[in-house]
Amino acid sequence: MVPSRSRFNLGSMALLLALAVTPPSRAAVYEVGPDKPLANVGDVPWESLVAGDTVLVYHRPTPYKEKFLFVGVGTPSAPITVRGVPGPGGELPVLDGNGATTRSALNYYSQERGVIKIGGATTPFVDGISVIPQWLVLENLEIRSARPPYTFTKADGSTAGYTTPASAIYLEYGEHIVVRNCILRDCANGFFSFSSDTKVSKDVLVEGCYIFDNGNDGSLFEHNVYTESLGIVFQYNHLGPLRSGASGNNLKDRSAGTVIRYNWIEGGNRQLDLVNAEDSSILRADPSYREAFVYGNILIEPDAAGNRQVAHYGGDTGPANKWRKGTLYFYNNTMVSYRTDKTTWFRLSSNDENCDARNNIVYVTSAGSNLSMIDDKGVLTLSQNWFKPGWTNGPVNRIKGTVINNGNVEGASVGFVDEAGQDFHLAAGSANINTGTLLNPAVLPLHDLVREYIKHQSSAPRVNDGSIDIGAFERP
C-alpha cells in the first residue's frame, strides 16, 4: 500500500476515555443544498462535529465540487452521520473532486489523497488533542474524480493535483466506520483504508455500495477497493469493472478479520486479492489474520479480463512469514467465467495457505477442461461444489500443492434461471438444488448462510428449507 504517514499525538488517555463515554452537550443537524441553511458543503463546521451531529447533503442538478475531512468522536448510540438526501428520481448528491475546493478552516495533511478523508488532522479537533475518529457513518453519496490528472484547491487556497493512489474515500485511521449506499467511481482507488504498526483502522463496514470505474491507466497498483483494517466486512455491494485501461484488482484486501459476503463482483485483474498485511504488525499478530470468510457472492470473470485467476489468498510482498498462512473459508458462491481460454479458480501463495471450498458453483462457459482448481501451491479441500466435467487440479508440470477431493457434483448443465440475462438463481430441476453439504463448523454461528444478494446493492433472507443448495442462491 502507499500510506500517508501520520503526525499523530494521542495525548491524555484519561481524557480520551472521558470523551468516549461523556454524552454530547449538543447534537445538531446541518442541512446543505438549494434553499437550505447552508449552500455549500464547505459551510459545515467539519472541524467541530460532535456525537449525534448529522449533516444532510441534498441532491442538486450540479455536483458539489467540494472535499472535506471527516473526523470526530461519535458513540454507538449517537454516531456522527453524513447522509445524502436523494433527488426525486433517487439520484444521489454528487461530490466531485475534479476542481473541488476545501474549507479553509480544515487543517489536515494528505489532502491530495482523496475527496473525503477520514482521520489524520494536522490541527487537533477535540478539546485540544488528536483522537481516533470513532462511530462515523457516511451514506447516500456519489463520490468521484480523485486521480491524476485532476486538481483541486487546498484549504490554504493553493492548487494541487491528486496523487497516484488517491481515493474517493481515504480512511487513514478510525474505528467503527460505516460506508453505506454510496457510489465510488472515477478515482485511482474507490475505497481505501490504511493501518500501521502504531494504529489501525478498525471495525469497518462497507455495504450496499456501487464501486466501479476506478484505477489508473496501465497500472496494477490501484483498485476498486484497497483495504488494510482490523475487522472489515463487505456486504450487498456491486463491484463493477475498473476503468478501461486500468489493470488493478477489484477487491484487494490486506486485513485481519476479512468478511466478504453477499456481493456482486465483476471484472478486475482478479476479483479477489486477499494478501498480507503490508504495513501493520498489529494486524499480523491478531488471530483473525489467519482466517477469512467469503460466502454468498456472485463472481464474474469476463473474457480476456486480466489474470485468469479469480481469487488469490496468502501474500504478495515481503517475507513469506508475514503472509496470511491460515484458512480461507470459501462457500456457497456462484462463479461464472466467460473466458474462452483457461480459468484458474484459486492462487494460494504457499503450501501453508489452506482453502476450504464447499457448495460453490464454478461455471465456465467454455469446456470443463479449461478450468483449473489451483495455480500451483496451497492446500485446497473441495466438498460438494458444482463443476463441468473435465476440470483439472492445475498445470501438471508445476503443481506443488494438494487438492483434496471430498466429492463434488458434475454435469453439462448448471441449471440457471436465465444465464443470458445473468439471473443465476436455480431453475427447477437443477442438479444444485438440495445437494450441498453442511458448512464447516468453524464458520458457525457467526458466518452462517442467512442472506443472499439481490440485484443490485440489496439483500434478502436466504430460505432455510433444511437442505442447502449449491451456490449463492437458495431455491424456495
Side-chain angles (χ1 to χ4, degrees), residues 384-395:
Q384 288 302 99
N385 304 284
W386 185 93
F387 308 114
K388 276 186 177 180
W391 58 273
T392 65
N393 288 345

Side-chain angles (χ1 to χ4, degrees), residues 34 138 200 279 320 335 385 475:
L138 186 66
V200 298
D279 300 293
M335 192 278 282
N385 304 284
R475 183 175 174 84

Side-chain angles (χ1 to χ4, degrees), residues 390-434:
W391 58 273
T392 65
N393 288 345
V396 295
N397 60 337
R398 71 166 189 262
I399 281 286
K400 299 175 184 176
T402 303
V403 177
I404 301 169
N405 188 347
N406 289 332
N408 297 282
V409 177
E410 297 185 11
S413 174
V414 64
F416 291 140
V417 166
D418 183 2
E419 180 180 337
Q422 294 193 320
D423 183 346
F424 301 126
H425 291 82
L426 301 178
S430 171
N432 291 296
I433 297 174
N434 295 336

Side-chain angles (χ1 to χ4, degrees), residues 427-447:
S430 171
N432 291 296
I433 297 174
N434 295 336
T435 50
T437 189
L438 296 177
L439 302 184
N440 190 315
V443 311
L444 300 172
L446 188 59
H447 299 292

Side-chain angles (χ1 to χ4, degrees), residues 164-435:
T164 300
S167 310
I169 300 172
Y170 173 36
L171 170 58
E172 183 170 352
Y173 57 87
E175 298 181 359
H176 318 300
I177 308 298
V178 176
V179 178
R180 179 185 294 122
N181 191 36
C182 288
I183 298 173
L184 311 180
R185 60 176 295 261
D186 192 32
C187 296
N189 293 293
F191 178 75
F192 185 103
S193 72
F194 173 64
S195 296
S196 73
D197 290 335
T198 58
K199 60 182 178 294
V200 298
S201 55
K202 180 180 180 181
D203 184 24
V204 180
L205 173 63
V206 181
E207 70 174 6
C209 294
Y210 184 23
I211 308 176
F212 73 109
D213 190 37
N214 298 294
N216 287 323
D217 294 344
S219 175
L220 290 164
F221 301 109
E222 296 80 40
H223 319 281
N224 269 337
V225 171
Y226 195 7
T227 46
E228 187 168 354
S229 297
L230 180 57
I232 190 164
V233 176
F234 300 92
Q235 60 187 17
Y236 324 141
N237 301 291
H238 180 195
L239 305 185
L242 278 70
R243 291 182 60 241
S244 177
S247 303
N249 296 297
N250 209 319
L251 195 164
K252 188 177 184 82
D253 177 73
R254 299 183 180 276
S255 299
T258 303
V259 179
I260 302 168
R261 61 190 180 193
Y262 320 125
N263 303 279
W264 183 289
I265 306 174
E266 182 172 1
N269 184 50
R270 296 186 184 96
Q271 282 69 33
L272 299 175
D273 201 38
L274 313 180
V275 288
N276 57 294
E278 190 173 45
D279 300 293
S280 180
S281 57
I282 298 173
L283 269 59
R284 293 193 296 270
D286 195 273
S288 66
Y289 184 57
R290 306 298 177 188
E291 57 187 13
F293 303 88
V294 177
Y295 55 99
N297 302 284
I298 299 90
L299 306 170
I300 310 295
E301 171 73 2
D303 190 24
N307 199 306
R308 74 185 192 185
Q309 302 157 7
V310 174
H312 177 201
Y313 176 76
D316 64 354
T317 61
N321 63 4
K322 294 184 177 181
W323 294 356
R324 293 192 183 228
K325 295 188 178 295
T327 300
L328 169 62
Y329 297 97
F330 197 99
Y331 51 101
N332 284 94
N333 301 284
T334 294
M335 192 278 282
V336 177
S337 174
Y338 296 101
R339 297 185 76 97
T340 55
D341 59 352
K342 299 285 187 180
T343 297
T344 300
W345 193 9
F346 292 106
R347 178 185 175 192
L348 305 175
S349 297
S350 76
N351 286 337
D352 295 321
E353 266 78 36
N354 294 269
C355 177
D356 183 306
R358 60 181 71 196
N359 299 341
N360 302 284
I361 291 176
V362 187
Y363 175 62
V364 294
T365 57
S366 62
S369 57
N370 278 337
L371 175 64
S372 297
M373 295 294 105
I374 59 176
D375 183 59
D376 57 355
K377 302 182 184 72
V379 179
L380 172 64
T381 302
L382 302 174
S383 303
Q384 288 302 99
N385 304 284
W386 185 93
F387 308 114
K388 276 186 177 180
W391 58 273
T392 65
N393 288 345
V396 295
N397 60 337
R398 71 166 189 262
I399 281 286
K400 299 175 184 176
T402 303
V403 177
I404 301 169
N405 188 347
N406 289 332
N408 297 282
V409 177
E410 297 185 11
S413 174
V414 64
F416 291 140
V417 166
D418 183 2
E419 180 180 337
Q422 294 193 320
D423 183 346
F424 301 126
H425 291 82
L426 301 178
S430 171
N432 291 296
I433 297 174
N434 295 336
T435 50

